[in-house]
Amino acid sequence: MRKRILLVTLLVSVLGLVLLTLLFSGMSYSRSAQAASGQLSVLMDMYAADHISAPLSDETAQALSAEMGGTRVTFLLADGTPVGDSEVPAAQLSSHAGREEVQAALRQGEGTAVRRSATLGKELVYYCRYFSQQGVLEGGGAAEGFLVRFSGEASSFFGVFTQALPTLIWLLLLDLLICLFVAWIATSFILQPVERLTQAAATAGNKPVRTEYPELMPIAKMMNEMNAEIGAQMAKMQEDHRMEKLVLNSMEHGIVIFRSEQDVLLINKPAMRLLDYEKNEPIACFTQDGEIASILAAGEPATVNRRLGEREYSLRFTFGDRANVLLITDVTELMAAARSKNDFIANVTHEMNTPLTSIRGFAELIGAGAIPPEKLPSVADTIIRQSDRLSNLIRSIINFSAIDADDLPDYEVDLSEVLRETAVNFEPSLRQKDIAFTLEVEGSVKVLSRRERLVEIVNNLVSNGIRYNKEGGRLQVKLTGGEEPALSVSDTGIGISKENQSRIFDRFYTVDKSHNGAGGGFGLGLATVKKLCRRAGWKLSVESEEGVGTTFTIRFCKKK
Ligand code: ADP
């Protein structure tokens, strides 16, 4: 800006100076021409006074010229024919009728012209006057009216200009210096408010910038608007960034965006925690874990599972042009579910295998005729029992698996009534073991569920209470109502050890493996009860002491 102003000022001043010089040269030139023609006019007066009667010849012209200090003298007839000339013999000269000064003199008595003489090759000032009296010609004749022309050297415009040139150069240099100095001060003075405004805008922060100069007010206004817009954009970007960080850090997955193990672009808090990562350090597992190191070297998408602390995680690596991504996902439950599914299949296969082997064995023996006829009824009985056991197992498995698919709607079921009705079914088994049974039921306690689910629960708990009871023992079923109804089934049976209390709800878990299948027990009863309670949101608990007895309690909490 400053440079521009200086340059423009200099250009304008140089241009001005050159123009002034040209003007001055022009004026000097025209003044010198005027002065020269004035001098010639005075000489013409002298001629008119003293030499008018002299003959109009080359000789007279030469004598006059010598007298006038070298001024060229030309005598012309009224038609422009030269009859005497101090420089060139008149006979050699052509008619001067067309010359500007001659025409003017013929018109108005006298005429002046400045031009380059073709004869002498110089810039000349011509002054011509017309005399109406008779002029004496050289041969003795007379001319009716004649013209006398004086011409003297005039300085040319170029001459004047070249004369002025050295002065002009000096002036130019002086002008440059003065201009530079003045322009420097002027620009500083002019630019000061602009510089102050720029400085204020740079340091103002959120505050608006102000100026007392009306010319700068639109700029200040624009700056303030821009500042406000930039401020808003920055705030939005910061908010977006904050949100991104919040989302990334509150994710349960770990995310790492990296270019190499040394160059981590982004890592969220869960990933930092899981990978034990400190800022500006290489990620340890990237170099120390051989499998991961080879995945990184190959640069092909791959997944590995690793136990990080208490839980199991899947580490999924994907590779891009600009950056690579590691996604860490907690797969503990997924893996446990997969393992549990495998265990379940293994258990089912195992449980099925036992009766099937027995049935097949007996069938082969019968086929081979290896069973004596009197033992056939008892073998047939074993085959029937094993078949019953197999179908019991299949029913239990179907029953257990069906719970997951059961999405039938709940309704209010009178649990008191369900208990009273099902109790009747247990009477034979109770009697068989001589168990004293008490049923304490409060009026009508209603629970939001389905009748078949409640029957399933009651059947499992009560049949266990009979199965694992002692001969002549007691079994008490109690149902209390109120805000949170509760059902408890207490027996005075063999009890469950502390260690087993946490495992009895697992599928296919039986404390005493020897009784498996006896009376249909495959370790699915309590797992079914637990599953039903969990789905309904009820609390199932067990209290037991070995050799004393066991109490199972269900609290029917209302779903929130
Ligand atoms: P099962 O069909 O074998 O009875 P459950 O899932 O009902 O399977 O029970 C799992 C295990 O818990 C049983 O094998 C048994 O050892 C133990 N158990 C269940 N109920 C009682 C109880 N009332 N008293 C003692 N042990 C019990």
Side-chain angles (χ1 to χ4, degrees), residues 441-483:
V441 175
E442 257 182 37
S444 154
V445 177
K446 294 204 168 128
V447 173
L448 199 64
S449 180
R450 294 186 71 84
R451 191 186 151 77
E452 63 274 19
R453 292 180 200 155
L454 291 171
V455 170
E456 181 75 33
I457 291 171
V458 173
N459 277 343
N460 274 309
L461 293 180
V462 175
S463 61
N464 278 353
I466 300 168
R467 192 182 298 149
Y468 303 108
N469 217 324
K470 295 169 193 159
E471 289 280 332
R474 284 197 310 278
L475 178 65
Q476 187 189 41
V477 175
K478 196 171 163 189
L479 177 66
T480 53
E483 265 299 290

mmCIF file of all heavy atoms in Angstrom, residues 441-483:
data_model
loop_
_atom_site.group_PDB
_atom_site.id
_atom_site.type_symbol
_atom_site.label_atom_id
_atom_site.label_comp_id
_atom_site.label_asym_id
_atom_site.label_seq_id
_atom_site.Cartn_x
_atom_site.Cartn_y
_atom_site.Cartn_z
ATOM 1 N N VAL A 441 -51.382 -69.658 51.939
ATOM 2 C CA VAL A 441 -51.655 -68.758 50.822
ATOM 3 C C VAL A 441 -52.564 -67.625 51.267
ATOM 4 O O VAL A 441 -53.596 -67.869 51.876
ATOM 5 C CB VAL A 441 -52.303 -69.529 49.663
ATOM 6 C CG1 VAL A 441 -52.708 -68.584 48.552
ATOM 7 C CG2 VAL A 441 -51.360 -70.570 49.116
ATOM 8 N N GLU A 442 -52.157 -66.406 50.978
ATOM 9 C CA GLU A 442 -52.972 -65.243 51.349
ATOM 10 C C GLU A 442 -54.050 -65.034 50.298
ATOM 11 O O GLU A 442 -53.706 -64.807 49.136
ATOM 12 C CB GLU A 442 -52.094 -63.998 51.388
ATOM 13 C CG GLU A 442 -51.735 -63.578 52.782
ATOM 14 C CD GLU A 442 -50.908 -62.295 52.753
ATOM 15 O OE1 GLU A 442 -51.182 -61.411 51.909
ATOM 16 O OE2 GLU A 442 -49.980 -62.207 53.557
ATOM 17 N N GLY A 443 -55.310 -65.102 50.717
ATOM 18 C CA GLY A 443 -56.483 -64.830 49.862
ATOM 19 C C GLY A 443 -56.240 -65.079 48.381
ATOM 20 O O GLY A 443 -56.032 -66.203 47.946
ATOM 21 N N SER A 444 -56.239 -63.968 47.660
ATOM 22 C CA SER A 444 -56.031 -64.102 46.217
ATOM 23 C C SER A 444 -54.911 -63.130 45.814
ATOM 24 O O SER A 444 -55.110 -61.926 45.774
ATOM 25 C CB SER A 444 -57.347 -63.756 45.523
ATOM 26 O OG SER A 444 -57.103 -63.296 44.240
ATOM 27 N N VAL A 445 -53.740 -63.745 45.549
ATOM 28 C CA VAL A 445 -52.596 -62.897 45.165
ATOM 29 C C VAL A 445 -52.433 -62.974 43.642
ATOM 30 O O VAL A 445 -52.283 -64.058 43.081
ATOM 31 C CB VAL A 445 -51.311 -63.367 45.871
ATOM 32 C CG1 VAL A 445 -50.126 -62.536 45.404
ATOM 33 C CG2 VAL A 445 -51.474 -63.303 47.374
ATOM 34 N N LYS A 446 -52.514 -61.761 43.032
ATOM 35 C CA LYS A 446 -52.476 -61.768 41.554
ATOM 36 C C LYS A 446 -51.109 -61.294 41.048
ATOM 37 O O LYS A 446 -50.518 -60.367 41.588
ATOM 38 C CB LYS A 446 -53.573 -60.876 41.022
ATOM 39 C CG LYS A 446 -54.933 -61.471 41.366
ATOM 40 C CD LYS A 446 -56.009 -61.007 40.451
ATOM 41 C CE LYS A 446 -57.253 -61.840 40.653
ATOM 42 N NZ LYS A 446 -58.427 -61.040 40.879
ATOM 43 N N VAL A 447 -50.660 -61.961 40.009
ATOM 44 C CA VAL A 447 -49.339 -61.658 39.441
ATOM 45 C C VAL A 447 -49.503 -61.503 37.928
ATOM 46 O O VAL A 447 -50.265 -62.241 37.315
ATOM 47 C CB VAL A 447 -48.364 -62.817 39.747
ATOM 48 C CG1 VAL A 447 -47.051 -62.597 39.020
ATOM 49 C CG2 VAL A 447 -48.128 -62.957 41.223
ATOM 50 N N LEU A 448 -48.765 -60.529 37.362
ATOM 51 C CA LEU A 448 -48.844 -60.318 35.913
ATOM 52 C C LEU A 448 -47.907 -61.304 35.195
ATOM 53 O O LEU A 448 -46.691 -61.180 35.261
ATOM 54 C CB LEU A 448 -48.423 -58.881 35.590
ATOM 55 C CG LEU A 448 -48.858 -58.364 34.225
ATOM 56 C CD1 LEU A 448 -50.381 -58.294 34.125
ATOM 57 C CD2 LEU A 448 -48.251 -56.989 33.971
ATOM 58 N N SER A 449 -48.506 -62.316 34.590
ATOM 59 C CA SER A 449 -47.693 -63.334 33.894
ATOM 60 C C SER A 449 -48.626 -64.175 33.027
ATOM 61 O O SER A 449 -49.651 -63.657 32.563
ATOM 62 C CB SER A 449 -46.979 -64.206 34.933
ATOM 63 O OG SER A 449 -46.196 -65.170 34.294
ATOM 64 N N ARG A 450 -48.270 -65.451 32.840
ATOM 65 C CA ARG A 450 -49.173 -66.404 32.165
ATOM 66 C C ARG A 450 -49.257 -67.635 33.041
ATOM 67 O O ARG A 450 -48.272 -68.040 33.656
ATOM 68 C CB ARG A 450 -48.624 -66.758 30.777
ATOM 69 C CG ARG A 450 -48.626 -65.586 29.818
ATOM 70 C CD ARG A 450 -48.217 -66.016 28.435
ATOM 71 N NE ARG A 450 -49.248 -66.819 27.787
ATOM 72 C CZ ARG A 450 -50.299 -66.306 27.133
ATOM 73 N NH1 ARG A 450 -50.466 -65.004 27.059
ATOM 74 N NH2 ARG A 450 -51.180 -67.099 26.563
ATOM 75 N N ARG A 451 -50.427 -68.233 33.054
ATOM 76 C CA ARG A 451 -50.676 -69.357 33.952
ATOM 77 C C ARG A 451 -49.645 -70.479 33.758
ATOM 78 O O ARG A 451 -49.057 -70.963 34.731
ATOM 79 C CB ARG A 451 -52.094 -69.894 33.690
ATOM 80 C CG ARG A 451 -52.557 -70.881 34.718
ATOM 81 C CD ARG A 451 -53.895 -71.490 34.337
ATOM 82 N NE ARG A 451 -53.969 -72.838 34.896
ATOM 83 C CZ ARG A 451 -54.210 -73.104 36.144
ATOM 84 N NH1 ARG A 451 -54.446 -72.124 36.997
ATOM 85 N NH2 ARG A 451 -54.218 -74.349 36.576
ATOM 86 N N GLU A 452 -49.348 -70.846 32.490
ATOM 87 C CA GLU A 452 -48.453 -71.974 32.239
ATOM 88 C C GLU A 452 -47.044 -71.713 32.761
ATOM 89 O O GLU A 452 -46.346 -72.635 33.199
ATOM 90 C CB GLU A 452 -48.428 -72.362 30.758
ATOM 91 C CG GLU A 452 -47.904 -71.338 29.793
ATOM 92 C CD GLU A 452 -48.960 -70.342 29.300
ATOM 93 O OE1 GLU A 452 -50.011 -70.198 29.951
ATOM 94 O OE2 GLU A 452 -48.714 -69.673 28.272
ATOM 95 N N ARG A 453 -46.652 -70.427 32.773
ATOM 96 C CA ARG A 453 -45.310 -70.114 33.270
ATOM 97 C C ARG A 453 -45.260 -70.314 34.781
ATOM 98 O O ARG A 453 -44.293 -70.869 35.315
ATOM 99 C CB ARG A 453 -44.946 -68.662 32.950
ATOM 100 C CG ARG A 453 -44.770 -68.417 31.470
ATOM 101 C CD ARG A 453 -44.419 -66.975 31.218
ATOM 102 N NE ARG A 453 -44.716 -66.604 29.829
ATOM 103 C CZ ARG A 453 -44.975 -65.391 29.424
ATOM 104 N NH1 ARG A 453 -44.995 -64.395 30.280
ATOM 105 N NH2 ARG A 453 -45.215 -65.153 28.150
ATOM 106 N N LEU A 454 -46.340 -69.846 35.450
ATOM 107 C CA LEU A 454 -46.367 -69.984 36.905
ATOM 108 C C LEU A 454 -46.436 -71.455 37.294
ATOM 109 O O LEU A 454 -45.783 -71.894 38.259
ATOM 110 C CB LEU A 454 -47.558 -69.207 37.482
ATOM 111 C CG LEU A 454 -47.393 -67.675 37.355
ATOM 112 C CD1 LEU A 454 -48.679 -66.960 37.746
ATOM 113 C CD2 LEU A 454 -46.255 -67.183 38.231
ATOM 114 N N VAL A 455 -47.228 -72.235 36.535
ATOM 115 C CA VAL A 455 -47.336 -73.675 36.814
ATOM 116 C C VAL A 455 -45.956 -74.315 36.684
ATOM 117 O O VAL A 455 -45.537 -75.120 37.529
ATOM 118 C CB VAL A 455 -48.356 -74.347 35.853
ATOM 119 C CG1 VAL A 455 -48.301 -75.856 35.965
ATOM 120 C CG2 VAL A 455 -49.769 -73.846 36.142
ATOM 121 N N GLU A 456 -45.219 -73.940 35.667
ATOM 122 C CA GLU A 456 -43.869 -74.465 35.417
ATOM 123 C C GLU A 456 -42.966 -74.183 36.624
ATOM 124 O O GLU A 456 -42.236 -75.060 37.097
ATOM 125 C CB GLU A 456 -43.317 -73.786 34.160
ATOM 126 C CG GLU A 456 -41.938 -74.221 33.739
ATOM 127 C CD GLU A 456 -41.908 -75.583 33.087
ATOM 128 O OE1 GLU A 456 -42.889 -75.924 32.403
ATOM 129 O OE2 GLU A 456 -40.933 -76.321 33.305
ATOM 130 N N ILE A 457 -43.035 -72.919 37.092
ATOM 131 C CA ILE A 457 -42.181 -72.529 38.231
ATOM 132 C C ILE A 457 -42.542 -73.349 39.474
ATOM 133 O O ILE A 457 -41.681 -73.949 40.131
ATOM 134 C CB ILE A 457 -42.323 -71.010 38.513
ATOM 135 C CG1 ILE A 457 -41.679 -70.213 37.361
ATOM 136 C CG2 ILE A 457 -41.700 -70.630 39.840
ATOM 137 C CD1 ILE A 457 -41.929 -68.726 37.405
ATOM 138 N N VAL A 458 -43.839 -73.365 39.780
ATOM 139 C CA VAL A 458 -44.303 -74.064 40.995
ATOM 140 C C VAL A 458 -43.936 -75.556 40.897
ATOM 141 O O VAL A 458 -43.413 -76.145 41.855
ATOM 142 C CB VAL A 458 -45.823 -73.856 41.190
ATOM 143 C CG1 VAL A 458 -46.353 -74.698 42.326
ATOM 144 C CG2 VAL A 458 -46.107 -72.382 41.456
ATOM 145 N N ASN A 459 -44.199 -76.169 39.756
ATOM 146 C CA ASN A 459 -43.896 -77.596 39.578
ATOM 147 C C ASN A 459 -42.426 -77.888 39.839
ATOM 148 O O ASN A 459 -42.085 -78.842 40.541
ATOM 149 C CB ASN A 459 -44.235 -78.054 38.151
ATOM 150 C CG ASN A 459 -45.711 -78.385 38.024
ATOM 151 O OD1 ASN A 459 -46.391 -78.572 39.044
ATOM 152 N ND2 ASN A 459 -46.220 -78.445 36.811
ATOM 153 N N ASN A 460 -41.549 -77.040 39.256
ATOM 154 C CA ASN A 460 -40.108 -77.276 39.416
ATOM 155 C C ASN A 460 -39.684 -77.156 40.869
ATOM 156 O O ASN A 460 -38.946 -78.003 41.377
ATOM 157 C CB ASN A 460 -39.317 -76.280 38.567
ATOM 158 C CG ASN A 460 -39.149 -76.779 37.146
ATOM 159 O OD1 ASN A 460 -38.729 -77.908 36.928
ATOM 160 N ND2 ASN A 460 -39.535 -75.961 36.187
ATOM 161 N N LEU A 461 -40.132 -76.070 41.536
ATOM 162 C CA LEU A 461 -39.686 -75.846 42.919
ATOM 163 C C LEU A 461 -40.248 -76.908 43.868
ATOM 164 O O LEU A 461 -39.522 -77.456 44.707
ATOM 165 C CB LEU A 461 -40.087 -74.438 43.391
ATOM 166 C CG LEU A 461 -39.381 -73.271 42.670
ATOM 167 C CD1 LEU A 461 -39.857 -71.930 43.215
ATOM 168 C CD2 LEU A 461 -37.858 -73.369 42.815
ATOM 169 N N VAL A 462 -41.566 -77.205 43.707
ATOM 170 C CA VAL A 462 -42.192 -78.172 44.622
ATOM 171 C C VAL A 462 -41.648 -79.591 44.376
ATOM 172 O O VAL A 462 -41.329 -80.317 45.330
ATOM 173 C CB VAL A 462 -43.740 -78.137 44.497
ATOM 174 C CG1 VAL A 462 -44.400 -79.225 45.340
ATOM 175 C CG2 VAL A 462 -44.274 -76.776 44.926
ATOM 176 N N SER A 463 -41.460 -79.957 43.083
ATOM 177 C CA SER A 463 -40.956 -81.310 42.830
ATOM 178 C C SER A 463 -39.528 -81.464 43.349
ATOM 179 O O SER A 463 -39.164 -82.518 43.873
ATOM 180 C CB SER A 463 -41.040 -81.675 41.352
ATOM 181 O OG SER A 463 -40.256 -80.787 40.611
ATOM 182 N N ASN A 464 -38.711 -80.381 43.263
ATOM 183 C CA ASN A 464 -37.361 -80.449 43.862
ATOM 184 C C ASN A 464 -37.455 -80.592 45.381
ATOM 185 O O ASN A 464 -36.669 -81.309 45.990
ATOM 186 C CB ASN A 464 -36.571 -79.181 43.533
ATOM 187 C CG ASN A 464 -35.952 -79.237 42.154
ATOM 188 O OD1 ASN A 464 -36.012 -80.276 41.493
ATOM 189 N ND2 ASN A 464 -35.392 -78.138 41.689
ATOM 190 N N GLY A 465 -38.437 -79.844 45.962
ATOM 191 C CA GLY A 465 -38.639 -79.896 47.416
ATOM 192 C C GLY A 465 -38.994 -81.304 47.881
ATOM 193 O O GLY A 465 -38.705 -81.686 49.024
ATOM 194 N N ILE A 466 -39.656 -82.073 47.025
ATOM 195 C CA ILE A 466 -40.002 -83.457 47.369
ATOM 196 C C ILE A 466 -38.796 -84.371 47.067
ATOM 197 O O ILE A 466 -38.369 -85.159 47.908
ATOM 198 C CB ILE A 466 -41.242 -83.928 46.571
ATOM 199 C CG1 ILE A 466 -42.461 -83.036 46.894
ATOM 200 C CG2 ILE A 466 -41.537 -85.394 46.848
ATOM 201 C CD1 ILE A 466 -43.646 -83.225 45.962
ATOM 202 N N ARG A 467 -38.218 -84.155 45.835
ATOM 203 C CA ARG A 467 -37.149 -85.054 45.370
ATOM 204 C C ARG A 467 -35.927 -85.021 46.291
ATOM 205 O O ARG A 467 -35.328 -86.047 46.590
ATOM 206 C CB ARG A 467 -36.741 -84.652 43.946
ATOM 207 C CG ARG A 467 -35.856 -85.676 43.270
ATOM 208 C CD ARG A 467 -35.431 -85.207 41.890
ATOM 209 N NE ARG A 467 -36.574 -85.012 41.004
ATOM 210 C CZ ARG A 467 -36.630 -84.119 40.040
ATOM 211 N NH1 ARG A 467 -35.611 -83.313 39.846
ATOM 212 N NH2 ARG A 467 -37.678 -84.021 39.288
ATOM 213 N N TYR A 468 -35.559 -83.799 46.749
ATOM 214 C CA TYR A 468 -34.345 -83.702 47.560
ATOM 215 C C TYR A 468 -34.668 -83.603 49.052
ATOM 216 O O TYR A 468 -33.867 -83.112 49.841
ATOM 217 C CB TYR A 468 -33.504 -82.512 47.088
ATOM 218 C CG TYR A 468 -33.163 -82.628 45.609
ATOM 219 C CD1 TYR A 468 -33.760 -81.797 44.665
ATOM 220 C CD2 TYR A 468 -32.304 -83.628 45.167
ATOM 221 C CE1 TYR A 468 -33.494 -81.934 43.319
ATOM 222 C CE2 TYR A 468 -32.045 -83.777 43.810
ATOM 223 C CZ TYR A 468 -32.636 -82.931 42.895
ATOM 224 O OH TYR A 468 -32.380 -83.095 41.557
ATOM 225 N N ASN A 469 -35.877 -84.072 49.423
ATOM 226 C CA ASN A 469 -36.281 -84.068 50.836
ATOM 227 C C ASN A 469 -35.938 -85.422 51.450
ATOM 228 O O ASN A 469 -35.627 -86.377 50.738
ATOM 229 C CB ASN A 469 -37.789 -83.806 50.926
ATOM 230 C CG ASN A 469 -38.113 -82.941 52.128
ATOM 231 O OD1 ASN A 469 -37.478 -83.067 53.180
ATOM 232 N ND2 ASN A 469 -39.112 -82.074 51.974
ATOM 233 N N LYS A 470 -36.008 -85.439 52.771
ATOM 234 C CA LYS A 470 -35.780 -86.721 53.455
ATOM 235 C C LYS A 470 -37.121 -87.419 53.650
ATOM 236 O O LYS A 470 -38.165 -86.770 53.618
ATOM 237 C CB LYS A 470 -35.157 -86.456 54.833
ATOM 238 C CG LYS A 470 -33.779 -85.831 54.731
ATOM 239 C CD LYS A 470 -33.360 -85.355 56.123
ATOM 240 C CE LYS A 470 -32.167 -84.445 56.050
ATOM 241 N NZ LYS A 470 -32.026 -83.604 57.226
ATOM 242 N N GLU A 471 -37.064 -88.697 53.861
ATOM 243 C CA GLU A 471 -38.284 -89.447 54.212
ATOM 244 C C GLU A 471 -38.849 -88.824 55.482
ATOM 245 O O GLU A 471 -38.112 -88.575 56.439
ATOM 246 C CB GLU A 471 -37.938 -90.927 54.480
ATOM 247 C CG GLU A 471 -37.545 -91.722 53.245
ATOM 248 C CD GLU A 471 -38.737 -92.190 52.429
ATOM 249 O OE1 GLU A 471 -39.821 -92.385 53.008
ATOM 250 O OE2 GLU A 471 -38.588 -92.296 51.180
ATOM 251 N N GLY A 472 -40.133 -88.533 55.481
ATOM 252 C CA GLY A 472 -40.789 -87.980 56.673
ATOM 253 C C GLY A 472 -40.442 -86.520 56.915
ATOM 254 O O GLY A 472 -40.622 -86.006 58.017
ATOM 255 N N GLY A 473 -39.914 -85.874 55.903
ATOM 256 C CA GLY A 473 -39.544 -84.471 56.050
ATOM 257 C C GLY A 473 -40.745 -83.532 55.924
ATOM 258 O O GLY A 473 -41.901 -83.984 55.871
ATOM 259 N N ARG A 474 -40.434 -82.180 55.855
ATOM 260 C CA ARG A 474 -41.535 -81.213 55.735
ATOM 261 C C ARG A 474 -41.315 -80.346 54.475
ATOM 262 O O ARG A 474 -40.175 -80.069 54.089
ATOM 263 C CB ARG A 474 -41.556 -80.303 56.958
ATOM 264 C CG ARG A 474 -42.127 -80.946 58.202
ATOM 265 C CD ARG A 474 -42.505 -79.882 59.253
ATOM 266 N NE ARG A 474 -41.422 -78.947 59.500
ATOM 267 C CZ ARG A 474 -40.411 -79.194 60.321
ATOM 268 N NH1 ARG A 474 -40.339 -80.371 60.980
ATOM 269 N NH2 ARG A 474 -39.488 -78.294 60.526
ATOM 270 N N LEU A 475 -42.424 -79.942 53.942
ATOM 271 C CA LEU A 475 -42.366 -79.048 52.768
ATOM 272 C C LEU A 475 -43.422 -77.966 52.952
ATOM 273 O O LEU A 475 -44.586 -78.277 53.194
ATOM 274 C CB LEU A 475 -42.639 -79.840 51.479
ATOM 275 C CG LEU A 475 -42.669 -79.031 50.184
ATOM 276 C CD1 LEU A 475 -41.313 -78.413 49.866
ATOM 277 C CD2 LEU A 475 -43.093 -79.900 49.008
ATOM 278 N N GLN A 476 -42.940 -76.701 52.896
ATOM 279 C CA GLN A 476 -43.882 -75.599 53.125
ATOM 280 C C GLN A 476 -43.860 -74.637 51.929
ATOM 281 O O GLN A 476 -42.801 -74.182 51.492
ATOM 282 C CB GLN A 476 -43.459 -74.831 54.374
ATOM 283 C CG GLN A 476 -44.483 -73.784 54.776
ATOM 284 C CD GLN A 476 -43.966 -72.866 55.872
ATOM 285 O OE1 GLN A 476 -42.815 -72.459 55.850
ATOM 286 N NE2 GLN A 476 -44.818 -72.593 56.828
ATOM 287 N N VAL A 477 -45.054 -74.376 51.425
ATOM 288 C CA VAL A 477 -45.191 -73.405 50.338
ATOM 289 C C VAL A 477 -45.963 -72.221 50.904
ATOM 290 O O VAL A 477 -47.030 -72.406 51.474
ATOM 291 C CB VAL A 477 -45.917 -74.010 49.125
ATOM 292 C CG1 VAL A 477 -46.151 -72.947 48.060
ATOM 293 C CG2 VAL A 477 -45.147 -75.162 48.541
ATOM 294 N N LYS A 478 -45.354 -71.008 50.750
ATOM 295 C CA LYS A 478 -45.987 -69.837 51.366
ATOM 296 C C LYS A 478 -46.091 -68.719 50.332
ATOM 297 O O LYS A 478 -45.122 -68.437 49.611
ATOM 298 C CB LYS A 478 -45.103 -69.376 52.536
ATOM 299 C CG LYS A 478 -45.762 -68.450 53.490
ATOM 300 C CD LYS A 478 -44.851 -68.275 54.692
ATOM 301 C CE LYS A 478 -45.282 -67.049 55.465
ATOM 302 N NZ LYS A 478 -44.310 -66.732 56.501
ATOM 303 N N LEU A 479 -47.274 -68.105 50.285
ATOM 304 C CA LEU A 479 -47.452 -66.982 49.339
ATOM 305 C C LEU A 479 -47.982 -65.783 50.101
ATOM 306 O O LEU A 479 -49.020 -65.858 50.760
ATOM 307 C CB LEU A 479 -48.452 -67.380 48.230
ATOM 308 C CG LEU A 479 -48.775 -66.280 47.226
ATOM 309 C CD1 LEU A 479 -47.565 -65.893 46.393
ATOM 310 C CD2 LEU A 479 -49.912 -66.712 46.300
ATOM 311 N N THR A 480 -47.219 -64.666 50.039
ATOM 312 C CA THR A 480 -47.689 -63.437 50.700
ATOM 313 C C THR A 480 -48.028 -62.415 49.619
ATOM 314 O O THR A 480 -47.391 -62.381 48.561
ATOM 315 C CB THR A 480 -46.582 -62.849 51.613
ATOM 316 O OG1 THR A 480 -45.402 -62.703 50.847
ATOM 317 C CG2 THR A 480 -46.320 -63.721 52.828
ATOM 318 N N GLY A 481 -49.010 -61.590 49.917
ATOM 319 C CA GLY A 481 -49.453 -60.589 48.924
ATOM 320 C C GLY A 481 -48.829 -59.240 49.195
ATOM 321 O O GLY A 481 -47.669 -59.155 49.546
ATOM 322 N N GLY A 482 -49.643 -58.182 49.031
ATOM 323 C CA GLY A 482 -49.153 -56.813 49.282
ATOM 324 C C GLY A 482 -48.531 -56.215 48.039
ATOM 325 O O GLY A 482 -48.744 -56.668 46.921
ATOM 326 N N GLU A 483 -47.712 -55.135 48.313
ATOM 327 C CA GLU A 483 -47.063 -54.390 47.211
ATOM 328 C C GLU A 483 -46.154 -55.280 46.370
ATOM 329 O O GLU A 483 -46.102 -55.178 45.159
ATOM 330 C CB GLU A 483 -46.221 -53.250 47.799
ATOM 331 C CG GLU A 483 -46.921 -51.910 47.857
ATOM 332 C CD GLU A 483 -47.328 -51.409 46.486
ATOM 333 O OE1 GLU A 483 -46.435 -51.048 45.704
ATOM 334 O OE2 GLU A 483 -48.557 -51.413 46.183
#
